[in-house]
């Protein structure tokens, strides 16, 4: 019986032996695997094939992996394809940061660990599936909010239940066989639990996204200062976080819950990705320009990523606190602002950290 091919993977490496080894690890009846020996050849393939995941070697002649990814992220048709770097280069921060800045989603280090390689590929193919399904739904259900919400609830139930079961089973095995487990097995169990938690958070974010992007009713007069104070109480920042509030005692016309969600997301990102000993955030309102600015003293965002960060599932990698996002939050922020006739953008001219602007706010 022939099994329908669900995913097409593109493997790029200038050494044929590496391609053979990687292909043997990833082969599956429901996958088509295309291999090529250069970045230029890979770009030609992307013009013809619908690719679910790219695995590209970093060190190649003529066009290295970094250059290849930079080109793919500049074109709308290929920008959202998840990309894994396969490399023998040291896993120093400078190499990893460069990859994340370009838009790669993760690394596989040579010599490849078969189990880790398979798990990572499976995880990112699942994310690709969710992205494709969401795109199909958005095309079909533009005016059918109820069906979209129903679908999201089904996803949340059907996917989170087995994920929770996996996490519970792994914890049970660890508890029952703690003394028998080797260090390598313990590390693999930790990876499984971490992947389950990441996928669970992704599902929660997708559910929240589907519930919030469609409704455009219920605007009311909001006091910016009161709303910001409410959000800060929810976030409950630590003593190492300083939040300055400037000229916020003004009223705007906005939906209450979406406004809080926008502020909470931008504040949470400013905290999560900050790399300083004391995190300092400033929230200010310009009543002449009718805009709110949220700035921080963090590491900043490369100008080349200023617009990409609003794309669905696009992330800048791991935060300085060790966790990472799902790439849904800023996309949701922009959608919620647009539903209230406002705009959100990243201020690429801000040089001391990051600054996001919520503009075209209507006074109440």
């Amino acid at each position: 019986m022939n099994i329908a091919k669900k995913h097409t993977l593109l493997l790029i490496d200038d050494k044929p032996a590496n391609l053979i080894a990687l292909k043997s690890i990833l082969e599956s009846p429901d996958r088509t695997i295309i291999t090529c020996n250069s970045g230029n050849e890979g770009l030609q393939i992307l013009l013809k094939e619908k690719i679910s995941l790219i695995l590209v070697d970093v060190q190649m002649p003529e066009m290295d992996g970094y250059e290849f990814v930079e080109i793919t992220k500049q074109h709308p048709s290929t920008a959202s394809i998840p990309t894994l770097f396969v490399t023998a280069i040291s896993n120093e921060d400078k190499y990893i940061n460069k990859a994340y800045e370009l838009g790669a989603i993760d690394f596989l280090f040579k010599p490849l660990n078969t189990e880790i390689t398979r798990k990572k590929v499976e995880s990112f193919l699942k994310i690709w599936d969710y992205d494709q399904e969401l795109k199909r739904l958005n095309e079909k259900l533009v005016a059918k909010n109820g069906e979209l919400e129903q679908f999201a609830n089904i996803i949340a139930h059907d996917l989170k239940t087995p994920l929770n079961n996996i996490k519970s089973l792994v914890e049970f095995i660890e508890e029952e066989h703690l003394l028998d487990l080797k260090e390598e097995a313990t590390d693999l169990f930790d990876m499984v639990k971490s992947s389950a938690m990441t996928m669970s958070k992704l599902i929660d974010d997708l559910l929240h996204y589907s519930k919030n992007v469609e409704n455009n009713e219920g605007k009311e007069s909001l006091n910016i200062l009161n709303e910001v104070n409410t959000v800060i109480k929810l976030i409950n920042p630590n003593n190492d976080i300083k939040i300055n509030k400037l000229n916020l005692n003004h009223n705007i016309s906005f939906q209450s819950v979406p406004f809080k969600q926008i502020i909470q997301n931008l504040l949470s990102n400013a905290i999560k990705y900050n790399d300083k000993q004391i995190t300092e955030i400033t929230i200010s309102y310009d009543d002449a320009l009718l805009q709110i600015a949220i700035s921080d003293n963090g590491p900043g965002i490369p100008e080349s990523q200023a617009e990409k960060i609003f794309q669905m599932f696009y992330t800048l990698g791991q935060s300085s606190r060790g966790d990472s996002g799902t790439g849904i939050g800023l996309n949701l922020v922009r959608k919620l602002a647009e539903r209230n006739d406002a705009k959100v953008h990243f201020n690429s001219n801000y040089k001391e950290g990051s600054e996001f602007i919520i503009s075209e706010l209507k006074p109440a």
Side-chain angles (χ1 to χ4, degrees):
M1 182 177 67
N2 291 329
I3 298 176
K5 301 294 184 180
K6 186 178 181 182
H7 296 111
T8 299
L9 281 62
L10 175 60
L11 315 183
I12 308 173
D13 196 309
D14 62 308
K15 295 181 173 59
N18 291 342
L19 289 174
I20 293 171
L22 185 56
K23 184 178 180 181
S24 67
I25 292 174
L26 299 178
E27 278 183 323
S28 175
D30 63 344
R31 295 175 187 166
T32 297
I33 297 181
I34 301 175
T35 62
C36 63
N37 299 113
S38 70
N40 285 320
E41 188 180 349
L43 294 175
Q44 294 299 317
I45 292 170
L46 288 174
L47 294 175
K48 305 172 185 177
E49 303 287 343
K50 184 177 180 180
I51 304 298
S52 304
L53 180 66
I54 301 170
L55 291 90
V56 59
D57 183 43
V58 172
Q59 293 178 296
M60 294 186 295
E62 296 182 12
M63 179 189 295
D64 65 22
Y66 294 127
E67 293 170 316
F68 172 82
V69 171
E70 188 171 16
I71 293 172
T72 62
K73 296 304 177 184
Q74 291 174 355
H75 294 273
S77 61
T78 57
S80 62
I81 302 175
T83 305
L84 283 167
F85 273 134
V86 183
T87 179
I89 294 179
S90 167
N91 59 351
E92 293 179 17
D93 288 346
K94 63 180 180 180
Y95 295 111
I96 295 176
N97 290 337
K98 180 178 180 180
Y100 285 140
E101 286 176 6
L102 291 172
I105 54 174
D106 213 336
F107 273 88
L108 289 170
F109 293 103
K110 298 176 183 177
L112 295 176
N113 179 298
T114 299
E115 190 67 19
I116 291 175
T117 301
R118 287 174 178 165
K119 290 293 184 184
K120 283 193 175 185
V121 167
E122 288 170 5
S123 295
F124 289 119
L125 287 177
K126 286 179 182 178
I127 292 175
W128 170 260
D129 287 340
Y130 300 148
D131 187 25
Q132 298 306 300
E133 187 63 31
L134 191 60
K135 286 178 180 177
R136 285 194 289 269
L137 282 171
N138 284 337
E139 292 172 358
K140 294 179 181 179
L141 308 177
V142 174
K144 298 180 180 180
N145 302 343
E147 291 183 35
L148 181 58
E149 185 172 339
Q150 182 182 18
F151 171 79
N153 278 290
I154 291 172
I155 282 185
H157 178 268
D158 288 355
L159 292 182
K160 289 194 72 174
T161 298
L163 281 173
N164 289 334
N165 289 341
I166 290 171
K167 185 172 179 291
S168 297
L169 285 170
V170 170
E171 290 174 347
F172 174 77
I173 293 171
E174 285 183 312
E175 291 174 2
E176 292 295 312
H177 303 281
L178 182 61
L179 298 178
D180 301 329
L181 292 175
K182 296 181 180 179
E183 183 178 349
E184 184 178 355
T186 302
D187 291 341
L188 288 173
F189 279 153
D190 287 340
M191 286 180 57
V192 173
K193 287 190 292 184
S194 176
S195 296
M197 291 175 64
T198 300
M199 197 63 67
S200 180
K201 186 177 186 303
L202 174 65
I203 294 166
D204 286 339
D205 285 353
L206 282 170
L207 181 61
H208 186 78
Y209 180 92
S210 68
K211 286 182 176 179
N212 283 278
V213 296
E214 298 298 332
N215 184 19
N216 193 26
E217 300 176 355
K219 287 185 182 180
E220 56 186 290
S221 177
L222 303 180
N223 181 272
I224 300 172
L225 180 60
N226 291 342
E227 299 297 306
V228 168
N229 284 337
T230 299
V231 171
I232 291 174
K233 288 180 181 178
L234 288 172
I235 295 176
N236 193 23
N238 299 323
N239 294 329
D240 60 349
I241 296 170
K242 180 180 179 182
I243 299 180
N244 306 308
K245 293 170 283 187
L246 305 178
N247 194 37
L248 298 184
N249 193 18
H250 293 270
N251 290 352
I252 59 172
S253 178
F254 215 99
Q255 295 169 309
S256 178
V257 173
F259 184 77
K260 290 187 183 72
Q261 180 66 28
I262 290 170
I263 299 299
Q264 180 175 334
N265 191 287
L266 294 177
L267 283 181
S268 297
N269 281 351
I271 294 170
K272 179 168 65 176
Y273 290 97
N274 199 285
D275 59 348
K276 305 298 189 298
Q277 187 173 359
I278 300 293
T279 297
E280 186 166 354
I281 301 169
T282 299
I283 310 172
S284 60
Y285 178 67
D286 189 321
D287 48 320
L289 296 177
L290 300 178
Q291 65 183 32
I292 295 172
I294 298 180
S295 58
D296 63 64
N297 65 334
I301 298 173
E303 187 173 349
S304 61
Q305 311 295 300
E307 190 59 30
K308 295 177 184 177
I309 56 176
F310 291 99
Q311 296 174 3
M312 180 71 96
F313 298 127
Y314 189 90
T315 73
L316 287 172
Q318 220 174 47
S319 77
S320 60
R321 286 169 165 79
D323 54 357
S324 58
T326 59
I328 294 178
L330 286 178
N331 186 277
L332 174 61
V333 161
R334 175 166 282 183
K335 292 290 185 182
L336 293 178
E338 290 172 351
R339 292 288 171 180
N340 284 268
D341 304 312
K343 294 183 178 179
V344 176
H345 71 273
F346 173 73
N347 181 8
S348 57
N349 293 320
Y350 193 77
K351 301 302 182 184
E352 301 301 321
S354 298
E355 183 175 67
F356 286 85
I357 305 293
I358 310 167
S359 60
E360 299 186 20
L361 296 169
K362 302 295 188 294

